[in-house]
Amino acid sequence: MKVLLAGGAGYIGSHTAVQLLRAGHEVVIVDDFSNSSPEAIRRVEELGGKKVVSYEADVKDKEKVRQIFRENDIDCVIHFAGLKAVGESVRLPLKYYRNNIDTTLTLLECMEEAGCTRFVFSSSATVYGEENDPPYVETMKRGSCSNPYGWTKVMMEEILEDAAKANPKLTVILLRYFNPIGAHESGRIGEDPQGIPNNLMPYIAQVAVGRRDHLTVFGGDYPTPDGTCLRDYIHVMDLADGHVKAVEYAENHRGVEIFNLGTGTPYSVLDIIKAFESATGVKVKYEIGPRRAGDLPKFWADSAKAQKVLGWKTKRSLEDMCRDTWKWQKNNPMGYGK
């Protein structure tokens, strides 16, 4: 299949592109490089062993997206082109609602015009909200989110479900994933946030490599064993494999399916710091700070459905996640901008 990756030069998109190429699919990437680098695409081609068609464009730009569909016979769309920082979404809610929802609407409208009927959406565990208790299962109702980022995911899931009801030919796969960390085992591609990292693992890696002085842990008084938030961390390559499975499943499916992609094992922030130090031999300087707006104390996945229906399960350990992160950061201390 020929797969369009909206936001495909980003962290999860680039790793998914490699795995799609290795599975024999063709890849088209559209990205505005606001939080990514064109160098990532070059390295995707290097690792995947094939050329990638790429466009520099904002996915909200309908005319440009129309052009991409005209110039490529797209079989399936994977939508990664979203802003994703919880704390920033609390400060800049309008930016998040405009970007995340507009990109989804533009892709759906252009797909309909082009006759493309397969859509894989990069959703999030945040849609389970505050009412549901972990482990989260796909049959739970969407909850009340604690931040605008989460609400954009809830709204986009609703939009996609409504679109599928209205168009019986449309297939929508909602992938609710948890906390992706790690990097490609080669160290050639990895997470390269622009500016100050909003996520835990890239911040740890930047402290370890000397780019940051120390890590501030947001909150040490949560109702968890060590007082720090519990999360389900998944290796980005396992997550990429899940996207390949979803694309292939969508080929012979109609309607909406939801899958959790996680390990089912929660780790605290302090667990991750200790695991990183153990896997790399590098000490990470940190301090406990105040809680961050929008954070829930704990969440993790029940991924039994993905295993049963997609034949997908995680293969890589927490040690792998830490070791691969460090290999990427050590080899690319300034990310793609080195």
Side-chain angles (χ1 to χ4, degrees), residues 15-36:
H15 290 78
T16 299
V18 170
Q19 296 306 82
L20 283 166
L21 292 172
R22 288 185 169 177
H25 301 289
E26 295 178 72
V27 168
V28 178
I29 288 174
V30 54
D31 204 299
D32 66 359
F33 303 117
S34 60
N35 195 31
S36 58

Side-chain angles (χ1 to χ4, degrees), residues 254-276:
R254 290 291 178 271
V256 179
E257 285 285 356
I258 302 169
F259 297 101
N260 286 336
L261 297 183
T263 65
T265 302
Y267 292 101
S268 74
V269 175
L270 296 184
D271 287 335
I272 297 298
I273 293 170
K274 291 170 188 170
F276 184 90

Side-chain angles (χ1 to χ4, degrees), residues 302-322:
D302 180 328
S303 296
K305 182 182 177 183
Q307 184 169 341
K308 181 180 179 181
V309 178
L310 297 180
W312 172 90
K313 62 180 179 179
T314 59
K315 301 173 185 174
R316 297 160 181 91
S317 67
L318 179 57
E319 182 181 359
D320 294 330
M321 301 179 210
C322 294

Side-chain angles (χ1 to χ4, degrees), residues 151-170:
W151 278 117
T152 68
K153 295 295 188 183
V154 168
M155 292 173 184
M156 288 184 286
E157 283 199 4
E158 188 64 47
I159 289 166
L160 288 162
E161 288 180 352
D162 288 345
K165 285 176 193 171
N167 181 1
K169 294 181 180 179
L170 183 62

Side-chain angles (χ1 to χ4, degrees), residues 7-12 14 31-38 40 80-85 88 95-96 190-199 336:
Y11 175 44
I12 301 168
S14 59
D31 204 299
D32 66 359
F33 303 117
S34 60
N35 195 31
S36 58
S37 169
F80 297 110
L83 299 171
K84 61 178 184 176
E88 184 183 59
K95 179 180 179 182
Y96 272 67
E191 190 166 9
D192 182 26
Q194 307 299 301
I196 299 171
N198 288 295
N199 296 326
Y336 292 114

Side-chain angles (χ1 to χ4, degrees), residues 166-188:
N167 181 1
K169 294 181 180 179
L170 183 62
T171 297
V172 172
I173 309 296
L174 304 175
L175 297 181
R176 293 176 178 169
Y177 41 82
F178 288 67
N179 287 62
I181 59 176
H184 192 274
E185 57 268 21
S186 67
R188 295 292 290 152

Side-chain angles (χ1 to χ4, degrees), residues 128-283:
Y128 290 108
E130 300 171 339
E131 295 88 346
N132 293 306
D133 293 322
Y136 298 140
V137 294
E138 293 89 346
T139 51
M140 290 175 171
K141 288 186 177 180
R142 287 185 286 258
S144 299
C145 293
S146 58
N147 56 78
Y149 161 73
W151 278 117
T152 68
K153 295 295 188 183
V154 168
M155 292 173 184
M156 288 184 286
E157 283 199 4
E158 188 64 47
I159 289 166
L160 288 162
E161 288 180 352
D162 288 345
K165 285 176 193 171
N167 181 1
K169 294 181 180 179
L170 183 62
T171 297
V172 172
I173 309 296
L174 304 175
L175 297 181
R176 293 176 178 169
Y177 41 82
F178 288 67
N179 287 62
I181 59 176
H184 192 274
E185 57 268 21
S186 67
R188 295 292 290 152
I189 59 173
E191 190 166 9
D192 182 26
Q194 307 299 301
I196 299 171
N198 288 295
N199 296 326
L200 175 63
M201 188 57 96
Y203 210 113
I204 288 174
Q206 290 191 12
V207 171
V209 84
R211 281 178 65 178
R212 309 277 167 197
D213 177 68
H214 68 281
L215 167 73
T216 298
V217 176
F218 296 120
D221 59 351
Y222 285 100
T224 60
D226 64 17
T228 65
C229 290
L230 287 169
R231 296 289 183 266
D232 187 338
Y233 294 91
I234 176 174
H235 198 296
V236 68
M237 292 302 292
D238 282 330
L239 192 58
D241 290 338
H243 285 78
V244 177
K245 292 282 191 182
V247 165
E248 293 170 349
Y249 178 74
E251 190 169 9
N252 297 301
H253 182 76
R254 290 291 178 271
V256 179
E257 285 285 356
I258 302 169
F259 297 101
N260 286 336
L261 297 183
T263 65
T265 302
Y267 292 101
S268 74
V269 175
L270 296 184
D271 287 335
I272 297 298
I273 293 170
K274 291 170 188 170
F276 184 90
E277 290 178 337
S278 175
T280 66
V282 180
K283 292 293 289 182

